[in-house]
mmCIF file of all heavy atoms in Angstrom:
data_model
loop_
_atom_site.group_PDB
_atom_site.id
_atom_site.type_symbol
_atom_site.label_atom_id
_atom_site.label_comp_id
_atom_site.label_asym_id
_atom_site.label_seq_id
_atom_site.Cartn_x
_atom_site.Cartn_y
_atom_site.Cartn_z
ATOM 1 N N ARG A 15 -26.025 -39.318 -48.203
ATOM 2 C CA ARG A 15 -26.218 -38.616 -49.412
ATOM 3 C C ARG A 15 -25.079 -38.982 -50.418
ATOM 4 O O ARG A 15 -25.348 -39.060 -51.627
ATOM 5 C CB ARG A 15 -26.106 -37.082 -49.177
ATOM 6 C CG ARG A 15 -27.452 -36.460 -49.553
ATOM 7 C CD ARG A 15 -27.435 -34.905 -49.386
ATOM 8 N NE ARG A 15 -27.856 -34.641 -47.944
ATOM 9 C CZ ARG A 15 -27.299 -33.762 -47.157
ATOM 10 N NH1 ARG A 15 -26.306 -32.937 -47.717
ATOM 11 N NH2 ARG A 15 -27.731 -33.560 -45.890
ATOM 12 N N THR A 16 -23.902 -39.068 -49.999
ATOM 13 C CA THR A 16 -22.727 -39.404 -50.857
ATOM 14 C C THR A 16 -22.824 -40.786 -51.360
ATOM 15 O O THR A 16 -22.684 -41.031 -52.567
ATOM 16 C CB THR A 16 -21.364 -39.341 -50.103
ATOM 17 O OG1 THR A 16 -21.306 -38.062 -49.481
ATOM 18 C CG2 THR A 16 -20.220 -39.578 -50.929
ATOM 19 N N ARG A 17 -23.351 -41.762 -50.489
ATOM 20 C CA ARG A 17 -23.549 -43.166 -50.961
ATOM 21 C C ARG A 17 -24.567 -43.275 -52.011
ATOM 22 O O ARG A 17 -24.558 -43.901 -52.943
ATOM 23 C CB ARG A 17 -23.844 -44.085 -49.758
ATOM 24 C CG ARG A 17 -22.548 -44.579 -49.146
ATOM 25 C CD ARG A 17 -22.798 -45.585 -48.059
ATOM 26 N NE ARG A 17 -23.167 -44.788 -46.852
ATOM 27 C CZ ARG A 17 -23.681 -45.161 -45.668
ATOM 28 N NH1 ARG A 17 -23.811 -46.478 -45.614
ATOM 29 N NH2 ARG A 17 -23.781 -44.392 -44.761
ATOM 30 N N THR A 18 -25.666 -42.532 -51.826
ATOM 31 C CA THR A 18 -26.812 -42.524 -52.742
ATOM 32 C C THR A 18 -26.429 -41.862 -54.090
ATOM 33 O O THR A 18 -26.779 -42.464 -55.109
ATOM 34 C CB THR A 18 -27.986 -41.651 -52.123
ATOM 35 O OG1 THR A 18 -28.318 -42.212 -50.821
ATOM 36 C CG2 THR A 18 -29.152 -41.844 -53.000
ATOM 37 N N ALA A 19 -25.630 -40.903 -54.012
ATOM 38 C CA ALA A 19 -25.076 -40.224 -55.272
ATOM 39 C C ALA A 19 -24.167 -41.150 -55.958
ATOM 40 O O ALA A 19 -24.241 -41.276 -57.214
ATOM 41 C CB ALA A 19 -24.487 -38.846 -54.965
ATOM 42 N N SER A 20 -23.305 -41.838 -55.229
ATOM 43 C CA SER A 20 -22.464 -42.791 -55.893
ATOM 44 C C SER A 20 -23.258 -44.002 -56.566
ATOM 45 O O SER A 20 -22.810 -44.382 -57.595
ATOM 46 C CB SER A 20 -21.339 -43.403 -54.917
ATOM 47 O OG SER A 20 -20.614 -42.401 -54.369
ATOM 48 N N LEU A 21 -24.143 -44.444 -55.822
ATOM 49 C CA LEU A 21 -25.017 -45.651 -56.362
ATOM 50 C C LEU A 21 -25.709 -45.180 -57.598
ATOM 51 O O LEU A 21 -25.807 -45.968 -58.530
ATOM 52 C CB LEU A 21 -25.963 -46.118 -55.289
ATOM 53 C CG LEU A 21 -26.857 -47.249 -55.601
ATOM 54 C CD1 LEU A 21 -25.992 -48.491 -55.943
ATOM 55 C CD2 LEU A 21 -27.824 -47.575 -54.538
ATOM 56 N N SER A 22 -26.266 -44.021 -57.659
ATOM 57 C CA SER A 22 -27.020 -43.561 -58.806
ATOM 58 C C SER A 22 -26.024 -43.284 -59.899
ATOM 59 O O SER A 22 -26.326 -43.584 -61.063
ATOM 60 C CB SER A 22 -27.821 -42.313 -58.684
ATOM 61 O OG SER A 22 -27.452 -41.502 -57.543
ATOM 62 N N SER A 23 -24.723 -42.863 -59.666
ATOM 63 C CA SER A 23 -23.822 -42.752 -60.769
ATOM 64 C C SER A 23 -23.329 -44.066 -61.291
ATOM 65 O O SER A 23 -23.249 -44.303 -62.522
ATOM 66 C CB SER A 23 -22.539 -42.090 -60.073
ATOM 67 O OG SER A 23 -22.882 -40.795 -59.729
ATOM 68 N N VAL A 24 -23.211 -45.104 -60.575
ATOM 69 C CA VAL A 24 -22.885 -46.456 -60.924
ATOM 70 C C VAL A 24 -24.111 -46.968 -61.860
ATOM 71 O O VAL A 24 -23.709 -47.543 -62.838
ATOM 72 C CB VAL A 24 -22.558 -47.361 -59.705
ATOM 73 C CG1 VAL A 24 -22.420 -48.788 -60.278
ATOM 74 C CG2 VAL A 24 -21.240 -46.945 -59.077
ATOM 75 N N ILE A 25 -25.286 -46.837 -61.396
ATOM 76 C CA ILE A 25 -26.376 -47.338 -62.119
ATOM 77 C C ILE A 25 -26.401 -46.629 -63.575
ATOM 78 O O ILE A 25 -26.675 -47.177 -64.541
ATOM 79 C CB ILE A 25 -27.741 -47.132 -61.281
ATOM 80 C CG1 ILE A 25 -27.723 -48.089 -60.224
ATOM 81 C CG2 ILE A 25 -28.858 -47.442 -62.181
ATOM 82 C CD1 ILE A 25 -28.850 -47.871 -59.138
#
Side-chain angles (χ1 to χ4, degrees):
R15 240 181 275 138
T16 305
R17 276 186 275 172
T18 306
S20 296
L21 183 60
S22 26
S23 296
V24 168
I25 292 172

